[in-house]
Amino acid sequence: MEIVVYAYDVTVLKHIEAALEKKTYRVAYETEDIADSLVVCALDNDVRANDALIKELVERGNRILLLQSLPQIEPARHYLSLGVYGYGNTRMDTLFLLSAIEALQSNMMWIHPEITAKMVELLTPIYETHSFFGKLSPREREIALMLLEGKLYNEIASALSITPRTVKAHTTHIYQKLQVKDRLDFALQYK
């Protein structure tokens, strides 16, 4: 699947190009010829002004990674409902940008971890007692509850006096044991 970059700002375009230096991509200045591609689309923060463009790109079979300078939860929900596959920050780290592109290439969705954490935080708890506890070790239970509260890896690591890498390892085990693919899936099933 061809990667196409469409950006409103030269500085943002340069940032994306630097991240994609080892990938094959093309820059588009018009959207009429973009079809059946993975589109890294950096747009301004005016939510409704971008709707027509997003709908047009989705109708042409594109998978869209939408980047905005001020990503927020409500626009994320809105764009995901329009068919966007990924949502993040125009200034996000190269690692996140490449991870998002890989996810979209694998026909998966990707949302910046901070937005995902906020989405998880907003979910209303369904269970007073968590039935999944029996499957987890005591440390995994602690981490699982913090994940359901929407805490980030660094926050969990700090609270438990462990490294973020250790938190990530425990999180991977939690997801495997509970047969979920990511934080949002975990929250939707267990919060």
mmCIF file of all heavy atoms in Angstrom, residues 126-148:
data_model
loop_
_atom_site.group_PDB
_atom_site.id
_atom_site.type_symbol
_atom_site.label_atom_id
_atom_site.label_comp_id
_atom_site.label_asym_id
_atom_site.label_seq_id
_atom_site.Cartn_x
_atom_site.Cartn_y
_atom_site.Cartn_z
ATOM 1 N N ILE A 126 -18.148 -0.965 34.551
ATOM 2 C CA ILE A 126 -19.297 -1.858 34.439
ATOM 3 C C ILE A 126 -19.366 -2.772 35.657
ATOM 4 O O ILE A 126 -20.432 -3.077 36.156
ATOM 5 C CB ILE A 126 -19.202 -2.715 33.155
ATOM 6 C CG1 ILE A 126 -19.226 -1.813 31.930
ATOM 7 C CG2 ILE A 126 -20.302 -3.761 33.092
ATOM 8 C CD1 ILE A 126 -18.938 -2.521 30.631
ATOM 9 N N TYR A 127 -18.214 -3.213 36.138
ATOM 10 C CA TYR A 127 -18.167 -4.193 37.223
ATOM 11 C C TYR A 127 -17.675 -3.548 38.509
ATOM 12 O O TYR A 127 -16.705 -2.815 38.507
ATOM 13 C CB TYR A 127 -17.202 -5.335 36.866
ATOM 14 C CG TYR A 127 -17.521 -6.002 35.569
ATOM 15 C CD1 TYR A 127 -16.740 -5.789 34.440
ATOM 16 C CD2 TYR A 127 -18.613 -6.843 35.453
ATOM 17 C CE1 TYR A 127 -17.033 -6.399 33.232
ATOM 18 C CE2 TYR A 127 -18.919 -7.466 34.251
ATOM 19 C CZ TYR A 127 -18.117 -7.237 33.151
ATOM 20 O OH TYR A 127 -18.408 -7.842 31.971
ATOM 21 N N GLU A 128 -18.345 -3.868 39.598
ATOM 22 C CA GLU A 128 -17.835 -3.437 40.895
ATOM 23 C C GLU A 128 -16.650 -4.309 41.289
ATOM 24 O O GLU A 128 -15.692 -3.844 41.860
ATOM 25 C CB GLU A 128 -18.943 -3.537 41.962
ATOM 26 C CG GLU A 128 -19.958 -2.422 41.882
ATOM 27 C CD GLU A 128 -19.333 -1.051 42.105
ATOM 28 O OE1 GLU A 128 -18.539 -0.887 43.045
ATOM 29 O OE2 GLU A 128 -19.638 -0.139 41.316
ATOM 30 N N THR A 129 -16.751 -5.598 41.018
ATOM 31 C CA THR A 129 -15.633 -6.507 41.259
ATOM 32 C C THR A 129 -15.156 -6.998 39.903
ATOM 33 O O THR A 129 -15.961 -7.260 39.015
ATOM 34 C CB THR A 129 -16.057 -7.705 42.125
ATOM 35 O OG1 THR A 129 -17.107 -8.392 41.464
ATOM 36 C CG2 THR A 129 -16.529 -7.267 43.490
ATOM 37 N N HIS A 130 -13.885 -7.093 39.760
ATOM 38 C CA HIS A 130 -13.313 -7.478 38.477
ATOM 39 C C HIS A 130 -13.133 -8.993 38.432
ATOM 40 O O HIS A 130 -12.289 -9.543 39.138
ATOM 41 C CB HIS A 130 -11.997 -6.749 38.254
ATOM 42 C CG HIS A 130 -12.172 -5.263 38.166
ATOM 43 N ND1 HIS A 130 -12.721 -4.657 37.061
ATOM 44 C CD2 HIS A 130 -11.907 -4.267 39.044
ATOM 45 C CE1 HIS A 130 -12.774 -3.356 37.253
ATOM 46 N NE2 HIS A 130 -12.299 -3.088 38.449
ATOM 47 N N SER A 131 -13.924 -9.654 37.586
ATOM 48 C CA SER A 131 -13.919 -11.111 37.493
ATOM 49 C C SER A 131 -12.617 -11.658 36.922
ATOM 50 O O SER A 131 -12.299 -12.817 37.121
ATOM 51 C CB SER A 131 -15.100 -11.572 36.639
ATOM 52 O OG SER A 131 -15.009 -11.009 35.347
ATOM 53 N N PHE A 132 -11.846 -10.836 36.256
ATOM 54 C CA PHE A 132 -10.618 -11.305 35.630
ATOM 55 C C PHE A 132 -9.460 -11.437 36.620
ATOM 56 O O PHE A 132 -8.423 -11.984 36.289
ATOM 57 C CB PHE A 132 -10.205 -10.385 34.477
ATOM 58 C CG PHE A 132 -9.870 -8.977 34.903
ATOM 59 C CD1 PHE A 132 -8.609 -8.658 35.379
ATOM 60 C CD2 PHE A 132 -10.818 -7.981 34.816
ATOM 61 C CE1 PHE A 132 -8.310 -7.359 35.760
ATOM 62 C CE2 PHE A 132 -10.520 -6.685 35.185
ATOM 63 C CZ PHE A 132 -9.262 -6.371 35.664
ATOM 64 N N PHE A 133 -9.629 -10.950 37.845
ATOM 65 C CA PHE A 133 -8.532 -10.943 38.815
ATOM 66 C C PHE A 133 -7.920 -12.317 39.042
ATOM 67 O O PHE A 133 -6.727 -12.430 39.262
ATOM 68 C CB PHE A 133 -9.000 -10.379 40.154
ATOM 69 C CG PHE A 133 -8.799 -8.906 40.293
ATOM 70 C CD1 PHE A 133 -8.353 -8.121 39.246
ATOM 71 C CD2 PHE A 133 -9.057 -8.290 41.495
ATOM 72 C CE1 PHE A 133 -8.158 -6.764 39.388
ATOM 73 C CE2 PHE A 133 -8.869 -6.926 41.646
ATOM 74 C CZ PHE A 133 -8.416 -6.168 40.593
ATOM 75 N N GLY A 134 -8.724 -13.345 39.023
ATOM 76 C CA GLY A 134 -8.227 -14.698 39.294
ATOM 77 C C GLY A 134 -7.180 -15.160 38.292
ATOM 78 O O GLY A 134 -6.369 -16.032 38.592
ATOM 79 N N LYS A 135 -7.164 -14.566 37.111
ATOM 80 C CA LYS A 135 -6.215 -14.966 36.068
ATOM 81 C C LYS A 135 -4.872 -14.259 36.194
ATOM 82 O O LYS A 135 -3.915 -14.633 35.523
ATOM 83 C CB LYS A 135 -6.801 -14.655 34.681
ATOM 84 C CG LYS A 135 -8.086 -15.373 34.377
ATOM 85 C CD LYS A 135 -8.631 -14.936 33.026
ATOM 86 C CE LYS A 135 -9.974 -15.582 32.755
ATOM 87 N NZ LYS A 135 -10.519 -15.144 31.479
ATOM 88 N N LEU A 136 -4.786 -13.236 37.046
ATOM 89 C CA LEU A 136 -3.604 -12.388 37.096
ATOM 90 C C LEU A 136 -2.825 -12.541 38.395
ATOM 91 O O LEU A 136 -3.404 -12.849 39.443
ATOM 92 C CB LEU A 136 -4.007 -10.916 36.943
ATOM 93 C CG LEU A 136 -4.820 -10.543 35.709
ATOM 94 C CD1 LEU A 136 -5.192 -9.067 35.746
ATOM 95 C CD2 LEU A 136 -4.068 -10.880 34.438
ATOM 96 N N SER A 137 -1.524 -12.288 38.322
ATOM 97 C CA SER A 137 -0.686 -12.259 39.526
ATOM 98 C C SER A 137 -1.026 -10.997 40.319
ATOM 99 O O SER A 137 -1.635 -10.058 39.782
ATOM 100 C CB SER A 137 0.791 -12.247 39.130
ATOM 101 O OG SER A 137 1.138 -10.983 38.586
ATOM 102 N N PRO A 138 -0.604 -10.932 41.597
ATOM 103 C CA PRO A 138 -0.883 -9.716 42.381
ATOM 104 C C PRO A 138 -0.353 -8.435 41.726
ATOM 105 O O PRO A 138 -1.042 -7.421 41.698
ATOM 106 C CB PRO A 138 -0.185 -9.992 43.715
ATOM 107 C CG PRO A 138 -0.196 -11.487 43.834
ATOM 108 C CD PRO A 138 -0.012 -11.983 42.428
ATOM 109 N N ARG A 139 0.863 -8.466 41.181
ATOM 110 C CA ARG A 139 1.434 -7.279 40.540
ATOM 111 C C ARG A 139 0.650 -6.921 39.275
ATOM 112 O O ARG A 139 0.380 -5.760 38.999
ATOM 113 C CB ARG A 139 2.911 -7.513 40.209
ATOM 114 C CG ARG A 139 3.573 -6.336 39.535
ATOM 115 C CD ARG A 139 3.562 -5.071 40.388
ATOM 116 N NE ARG A 139 4.830 -4.935 41.051
ATOM 117 C CZ ARG A 139 5.107 -4.034 41.968
ATOM 118 N NH1 ARG A 139 4.198 -3.144 42.309
ATOM 119 N NH2 ARG A 139 6.265 -3.986 42.542
ATOM 120 N N GLU A 140 0.257 -7.940 38.515
ATOM 121 C CA GLU A 140 -0.540 -7.697 37.314
ATOM 122 C C GLU A 140 -1.890 -7.070 37.674
ATOM 123 O O GLU A 140 -2.391 -6.218 36.946
ATOM 124 C CB GLU A 140 -0.738 -8.989 36.529
ATOM 125 C CG GLU A 140 0.523 -9.493 35.857
ATOM 126 C CD GLU A 140 0.412 -10.892 35.298
ATOM 127 O OE1 GLU A 140 -0.533 -11.633 35.670
ATOM 128 O OE2 GLU A 140 1.277 -11.281 34.494
ATOM 129 N N ARG A 141 -2.468 -7.478 38.801
ATOM 130 C CA ARG A 141 -3.737 -6.880 39.251
ATOM 131 C C ARG A 141 -3.563 -5.384 39.518
ATOM 132 O O ARG A 141 -4.401 -4.579 39.121
ATOM 133 C CB ARG A 141 -4.238 -7.571 40.513
ATOM 134 C CG ARG A 141 -4.768 -8.943 40.285
ATOM 135 C CD ARG A 141 -5.290 -9.559 41.574
ATOM 136 N NE ARG A 141 -5.286 -10.988 41.418
ATOM 137 C CZ ARG A 141 -4.903 -11.855 42.337
ATOM 138 N NH1 ARG A 141 -4.525 -11.435 43.524
ATOM 139 N NH2 ARG A 141 -4.923 -13.143 42.096
ATOM 140 N N GLU A 142 -2.480 -5.041 40.225
ATOM 141 C CA GLU A 142 -2.211 -3.622 40.508
ATOM 142 C C GLU A 142 -2.115 -2.826 39.207
ATOM 143 O O GLU A 142 -2.713 -1.757 39.070
ATOM 144 C CB GLU A 142 -0.883 -3.472 41.251
ATOM 145 C CG GLU A 142 -0.883 -3.885 42.691
ATOM 146 C CD GLU A 142 0.493 -3.706 43.297
ATOM 147 O OE1 GLU A 142 1.436 -4.411 42.892
ATOM 148 O OE2 GLU A 142 0.626 -2.831 44.189
ATOM 149 N N ILE A 143 -1.354 -3.356 38.282
ATOM 150 C CA ILE A 143 -1.138 -2.663 37.007
ATOM 151 C C ILE A 143 -2.430 -2.603 36.207
ATOM 152 O O ILE A 143 -2.761 -1.568 35.620
ATOM 153 C CB ILE A 143 0.014 -3.327 36.224
ATOM 154 C CG1 ILE A 143 1.332 -3.067 36.967
ATOM 155 C CG2 ILE A 143 0.074 -2.829 34.780
ATOM 156 C CD1 ILE A 143 2.519 -3.835 36.450
ATOM 157 N N ALA A 144 -3.195 -3.698 36.202
ATOM 158 C CA ALA A 144 -4.462 -3.730 35.460
ATOM 159 C C ALA A 144 -5.415 -2.645 35.959
ATOM 160 O O ALA A 144 -6.046 -1.944 35.158
ATOM 161 C CB ALA A 144 -5.113 -5.110 35.574
ATOM 162 N N LEU A 145 -5.518 -2.487 37.266
ATOM 163 C CA LEU A 145 -6.399 -1.453 37.820
ATOM 164 C C LEU A 145 -5.930 -0.056 37.418
ATOM 165 O O LEU A 145 -6.749 0.806 37.084
ATOM 166 C CB LEU A 145 -6.479 -1.571 39.343
ATOM 167 C CG LEU A 145 -7.309 -2.747 39.857
ATOM 168 C CD1 LEU A 145 -7.202 -2.868 41.369
ATOM 169 C CD2 LEU A 145 -8.765 -2.600 39.437
ATOM 170 N N MET A 146 -4.636 0.158 37.429
ATOM 171 C CA MET A 146 -4.109 1.469 37.031
ATOM 172 C C MET A 146 -4.330 1.721 35.542
ATOM 173 O O MET A 146 -4.629 2.852 35.139
ATOM 174 C CB MET A 146 -2.632 1.581 37.389
ATOM 175 C CG MET A 146 -2.387 1.660 38.878
ATOM 176 S SD MET A 146 -0.620 1.792 39.211
ATOM 177 C CE MET A 146 -0.658 2.157 40.945
ATOM 178 N N LEU A 147 -4.210 0.682 34.735
ATOM 179 C CA LEU A 147 -4.501 0.822 33.305
ATOM 180 C C LEU A 147 -5.966 1.201 33.097
ATOM 181 O O LEU A 147 -6.286 2.050 32.268
ATOM 182 C CB LEU A 147 -4.189 -0.485 32.557
ATOM 183 C CG LEU A 147 -2.714 -0.853 32.404
ATOM 184 C CD1 LEU A 147 -2.578 -2.278 31.882
ATOM 185 C CD2 LEU A 147 -1.997 0.125 31.491
ATOM 186 N N LEU A 148 -6.851 0.570 33.870
ATOM 187 C CA LEU A 148 -8.277 0.874 33.753
ATOM 188 C C LEU A 148 -8.598 2.289 34.228
ATOM 189 O O LEU A 148 -9.603 2.867 33.826
ATOM 190 C CB LEU A 148 -9.111 -0.150 34.533
ATOM 191 C CG LEU A 148 -9.157 -1.549 33.920
ATOM 192 C CD1 LEU A 148 -9.881 -2.513 34.851
ATOM 193 C CD2 LEU A 148 -9.803 -1.528 32.545
#
